[in-house]
Amino acid sequence: MKKTLLSVKRNWFLYLMLSVPITYVIIFKYLPMAGIQIAFRDYRVVDGMFKSPWAGMKYMNMFFDSPNFWPVLKNTIILSAYNIALSFPFAVIFAVMVNEVSHTKFKKAVQLVSYAPYFISTVVLVAMVMDFANLRTGLFNQIIGVFGIDPINFFGEAKYFRSLYVWSGVWQTTGYSAIIYIAALTSIDPTLYEAAKIDGATRLQKIRYVDIPCLKPTIIILLIVSVGQIMNLGFEKAFLMQTPLNRDTSEIIATYSYKIAFESGQYSFSTAIGLFNSVVNMILLLSVNRISKKLTETSLW
């Protein structure tokens, strides 16, 4: 205890800085967990969270028996898997390509330009996508029109929603997501490249036998985190891109839960959906982490 108090006294400023994120996590992450019980109560605003009558598994069963359960679950998993399958390798490939650029000024310019889209707000991004996909004046239809293809109503057909969602996300996040890989590449021991050069390795062979193996732990850790968040798709973007015509593929758990809560006023039902979502994410995270630990000896813990 004395050693702890002495350490706090000597490093009080560091502990003060640490208290800010700890306080944030407690207030916004742990305290709201008390609201989980709404999923098991017939919640009424006048009675409050703790005095509303107990309902048990009523709303969980209601969600499982709902005709919307399988469609929204399928849409969420397919869209998230599609997103990970494209955005994840793109970030790695882009980081390796940037690392191979020898011209310093050009390299910094490319990084700056690639980071910029990440800071565009979701509302602006969706507005841009809608303008580009406009049936008459959109850039996409102007381009395909050059090849004699009839204009496509991208937001009017459900089959185009997933591609619009994912590819716009790839454009927006690839540069920013590559930062951690670029940082990992810059920490590689230069002697490994020198040894590869002496052995007569080409650029592609250096990437294959030096860059990728050194990136492997980082790739695995971030992949585990990504799979653990497979059910947590961005609500704002999906909601803004959703139209009555593409709802068959755009209705995901996040948007469905929002509508149940704020359009129908069924707060207990909405909380039950959110709890189910979180439990599935936790199971996926634990499972993938365990599998990774056994196969690659790399894991989050």
Side-chain angles (χ1 to χ4, degrees):
M1 180 62 70
K2 288 182 179 179
K3 289 182 179 180
T4 302
L5 292 174
L6 184 61
S7 175
V8 172
K9 186 177 180 181
R10 288 178 177 174
N11 305 290
W12 66 271
F13 187 74
L14 295 177
Y15 282 99
L16 181 63
M17 293 176 62
L18 184 62
S19 67
V20 176
I22 290 177
T23 304
Y24 170 82
V25 170
I26 291 173
I27 294 175
F28 294 100
K29 302 297 181 180
Y30 283 95
L31 291 181
M33 286 184 181
I36 289 174
Q37 63 179 298
I38 295 177
F40 306 101
R41 292 179 181 271
D42 284 319
Y43 178 73
R44 293 196 294 258
V45 178
V46 292
D47 294 331
M49 184 169 59
F50 298 101
K51 293 184 178 180
S52 295
W54 194 258
M57 296 294 291
K58 172 183 175 182
Y59 293 103
M60 279 291 183
N61 293 331
M62 186 185 296
F63 180 49
F64 296 146
D65 295 336
S66 169
N68 294 314
F69 174 72
W70 288 112
V72 297
L73 182 62
K74 183 187 74 172
N75 288 341
T76 302
I77 293 174
I78 292 176
L79 186 59
S80 188
Y82 186 10
N83 188 44
I84 293 174
L86 275 182
S87 61
F88 199 85
F90 261 85
V92 177
I93 294 169
F94 180 75
V96 172
M97 291 173 64
V98 170
N99 188 60
E100 288 296 311
V101 176
S102 56
H103 195 286
T104 305
K105 290 185 178 180
F106 179 73
K107 184 176 182 178
K108 289 182 177 179
V110 169
Q111 287 180 276
L112 180 62
V113 171
S114 65
Y115 298 162
Y118 181 80
F119 300 99
I120 298 175
S121 71
T122 305
V123 175
V124 174
L125 175 67
V126 173
M128 291 172 62
V129 174
M130 286 183 169
D131 284 341
F132 292 153
N134 187 278
L135 183 61
R136 295 182 179 178
T137 60
L139 178 63
F140 299 156
N141 280 314
Q142 294 291 329
I143 293 173
I144 64 175
V146 174
F147 299 96
I149 302 174
D150 294 332
I152 299 172
N153 186 4
F154 290 98
F155 278 86
E157 296 185 43
K159 62 181 179 181
Y160 295 113
F161 171 80
R162 290 171 183 152
S163 295
L164 287 172
Y165 183 98
V166 173
W167 282 104
S168 61
V170 169
W171 172 77
Q172 184 182 27
T173 62
T174 294
Y176 187 82
S177 301
I179 291 175
I180 191 168
Y181 299 115
I182 294 172
L185 287 169
T186 56
S187 64
I188 296 175
D189 189 349
T191 57
L192 294 175
Y193 291 112
E194 293 173 6
K197 186 177 181 179
I198 292 171
D199 289 339
T202 62
R203 278 199 170 190
L204 289 177
Q205 288 173 328
K206 288 178 184 178
I207 292 171
R208 180 180 177 183
Y209 296 109
V210 179
D211 290 345
I212 300 301
C214 291
L215 280 177
K216 186 179 177 181
T218 305
I219 293 172
I220 291 173
I221 293 296
L222 293 180
L223 183 59
I224 292 171
V225 174
S226 297
V227 173
Q229 297 292 318
I230 198 169
M231 302 288 283
N232 286 346
L233 281 169
F235 158 77
E236 297 89 352
K237 187 176 176 182
F239 185 73
L240 291 170
M241 291 181 67
Q242 191 175 92
T243 68
L245 298 176
N246 66 17
R247 194 164 293 169
D248 288 344
T249 55
S250 65
E251 190 74 283
I252 58 176
I253 288 179
T255 58
Y256 182 63
S257 177
Y258 171 85
K259 292 172 183 177
I260 291 295
F262 297 102
E263 293 183 7
S264 303
Q266 302 180 61
Y267 300 110
S268 295
F269 189 19
S270 177
T271 306
I273 296 171
L275 179 58
F276 166 79
N277 200 45
S278 299
V279 170
V280 172
N281 275 334
M282 184 184 70
I283 292 171
L284 286 172
L285 179 62
L286 295 174
S287 302
V288 174
N289 187 72
R290 187 177 181 84
I291 293 170
S292 175
K293 192 173 184 178
K294 284 188 175 182
L295 296 180
T296 66
E297 298 184 356
T298 301
S299 61
L300 291 173
W301 59 83

